[in-house]
Amino acid sequence: MTAPSPLHVAVAGDHPYSITIGPGQLSDGHALAQHVRGRHVLLVSDSDVAPLYLAGVRAALMQARPDLLVAEHVLPAGEASKTLAEFGRAIDALAALGATRDACIFALGGGVVGDLSGFAAACWMRGVDCVQLPTTLLAMVDSSVGGKTAVDIPAGKNLVGAFHPPRAVIADTHVLATLPVRELRAGLAEVVKYGALGDPDFFDWLQQHADGLSAGDATLLAEAIARSCRHKAAIVERDPLEKGERALLNLGHTFGHAIETEQGYSAPGRDALNHGEAVAVGMVLAARLSTAMGRAPAADEQRLSALLTSLNLPTAIPTGLQPAALLARMRLDKKNVAGRLRLVLWRGIGQADVVADVEEAAVLAVLAG
Ligand code: NAD
Ligand code: GLY
């Protein structure tokens, strides 16, 4: 049986690039090597992904382009590695390689590897190419697309970074087979986000296929990835630098980032949430706040909670996090203006908007449950 043909999504704009989605893409050396302009390649990955896929990517690249000078750089897996210190180590790896301005970084991993590698690519010699090779569902549907790159600092998530569009995104759906189920579901939270913020039909489709998606059905996942990428591509083409509508992609993120920061970017455990899980809780809180402010029907908040629950995602703040502390974290969100909270809220499924001057008392009431 032949493998299904890959799906392609084009991202237009000043720096156009393609997103390729399909099984086996990481073994296609020519597909990878066509994006390398010079001779220097840095393969960045993490300690969970590298043992599974790094050697294969290197071999495929070298077979297609034996002249390449390839180095590897592996970070400890997890959000705790998305730091200025790890960023510095990636920069040192580029220096050790002698990477020139036509160098290319391949970011092989989830959003942590993708965000950090993209930021290193944005900064090395004021900008070299980065090809995103996302290996989590979350990275395939969100973080690899759109050129947001960053690291975290103790004061907050993604507070240091740059916009630096990738040269290409290549998503090999085969790798989802090794992704822990909890990470698969975390990616589904970002998939739900696209339906919740702007596509009621997609939301309905996700409701119908929740069981298959959460069980990892490859055909359903490929469709969900392609539909999500089309949504994201359309928004970032119109607003690459988040001057307006791109902020809608942050539905649930101001609450979610506050949870992640308050947890101290600790490894996800029984109580600590990973990024996608925090976004799931954040979307429910944003919906609840919208209902409390009289902007949206309570029934839509219930439908959102029910869909997330059916995908085995959390919908409540983990115990032990204090509402006032979470609110303090939210005050440092990048969307805020003049010290006032600016949040993505909704008018119901498929109708999100950015709301300025949100009263802190209303937010605190929602955080306090
Ligand atoms: P992650 O990168 O930490 O990956 C999750 C875990 O899965 C890691 O332990 C990783 O090693 C492992 N893993 C990855 N692929 C695997 C595979 N195929 N098989 C086995 N294990 C695998 O987490 P994530 O959820 O991918 O990304 C979260 C990050 O993405 C956060 O830092 C978030 O801020 C960022 N993000 C960025 C954007 C953006 O636009 N730049 C958008 C959304 C999220
Ligand atoms: N994940 C939010 C954005 O890319 O804008």
Side-chain angles (χ1 to χ4, degrees), residues 46 48-49 52-53 77-79 82 110-113 115 135-136 138-139 142-143 145 148 157-158 175 178-180 183 190 232 246 275:
D46 74 24
D48 287 345
V49 176
L52 298 170
Y53 303 113
E79 187 71 30
K82 222 176 96 174
V112 168
V113 167
D115 280 12
T135 63
T136 61
L138 185 141
D142 194 353
S143 60
V145 178
K148 273 190 184 176
K157 283 265 304 170
N158 299 333
V175 306
T178 57
L179 190 65
E183 299 297 341
E190 299 277 16
K232 182 145 187 186
R246 183 166 181 171
H275 176 74

Side-chain angles (χ1 to χ4, degrees), residues 86-133:
E86 283 297 340
F87 163 79
R89 285 192 258 282
I91 292 291
D92 288 344
L94 286 161
L97 176 64
T100 48
R101 251 202 182 143
D102 50 6
C104 185
I105 298 181
F106 282 83
L108 176 70
V112 168
V113 167
D115 280 12
L116 186 139
S117 307
F119 187 40
C123 296
W124 179 250
M125 295 194 173
R126 301 202 182 89
V128 296
D129 292 333
C130 184
V131 174
Q132 293 281 346
L133 305 177

Side-chain angles (χ1 to χ4, degrees), residues 15-271:
H15 303 279
Y17 53 95
S18 61
I19 306 169
T20 306
I21 305 153
Q25 291 298 305
L26 290 182
S27 317
D28 186 341
H30 290 285
L32 300 171
Q34 65 177 321
H35 301 294
V36 182
R37 293 183 297 122
R39 287 188 68 206
H40 296 113
V41 169
L42 184 67
L43 299 176
V44 181
S45 192
D46 74 24
S47 54
D48 287 345
V49 176
L52 298 170
Y53 303 113
L54 192 58
V57 169
R58 185 181 185 130
L61 259 178
M62 294 299 291
Q63 199 173 18
R65 282 276 309 270
D67 63 311
L68 292 179
L69 297 169
V70 180
E72 297 175 4
H73 181 69
V74 178
L75 331 167
E79 187 71 30
S81 284
K82 222 176 96 174
T83 59
L84 283 168
E86 283 297 340
F87 163 79
R89 285 192 258 282
I91 292 291
D92 288 344
L94 286 161
L97 176 64
T100 48
R101 251 202 182 143
D102 50 6
C104 185
I105 298 181
F106 282 83
L108 176 70
V112 168
V113 167
D115 280 12
L116 186 139
S117 307
F119 187 40
C123 296
W124 179 250
M125 295 194 173
R126 301 202 182 89
V128 296
D129 292 333
C130 184
V131 174
Q132 293 281 346
L133 305 177
T135 63
T136 61
L137 178 62
L138 185 141
M140 291 180 189
V141 300
D142 194 353
S143 60
S144 64
V145 178
K148 273 190 184 176
T149 74
V151 294
D152 307 327
I153 58 173
K157 283 265 304 170
N158 299 333
L159 287 182
V160 183
F163 286 101
H164 187 67
R167 185 161 172 85
V169 180
I170 302 172
D172 183 341
T173 48
H174 266 159
V175 306
L176 296 176
T178 57
L179 190 65
V181 68
R182 186 169 173 189
E183 299 297 341
L184 186 83
R185 289 169 182 160
L188 289 172
E190 299 277 16
V191 173
V192 169
K193 177 184 79 176
Y194 295 108
L197 74 87
D199 188 346
D201 291 340
F202 189 37
F203 194 95
D204 291 346
W205 183 87
L206 291 169
Q207 273 188 315
Q208 281 162 27
H209 298 291
D211 288 346
L213 288 163
S214 105
D217 181 292
T219 309
L220 290 174
L221 284 174
E223 181 165 351
I225 295 165
R227 286 177 80 160
S228 300
C229 286
R230 278 186 216 115
H231 271 290
K232 182 145 187 186
I235 291 177
V236 300
E237 275 172 18
R238 292 191 292 264
D239 182 18
L241 303 180
E242 199 169 309
K243 307 265 189 227
E245 72 168 313
R246 183 166 181 171
L248 299 179
L249 294 172
N250 287 317
L251 178 64
H253 282 57
T254 308
F255 288 104
H257 284 170
I259 293 170
E260 286 185 87
T261 306
E262 220 16 48
Q263 289 175 165
Y265 314 120
S266 48
R270 202 159 51 83
D271 293 321

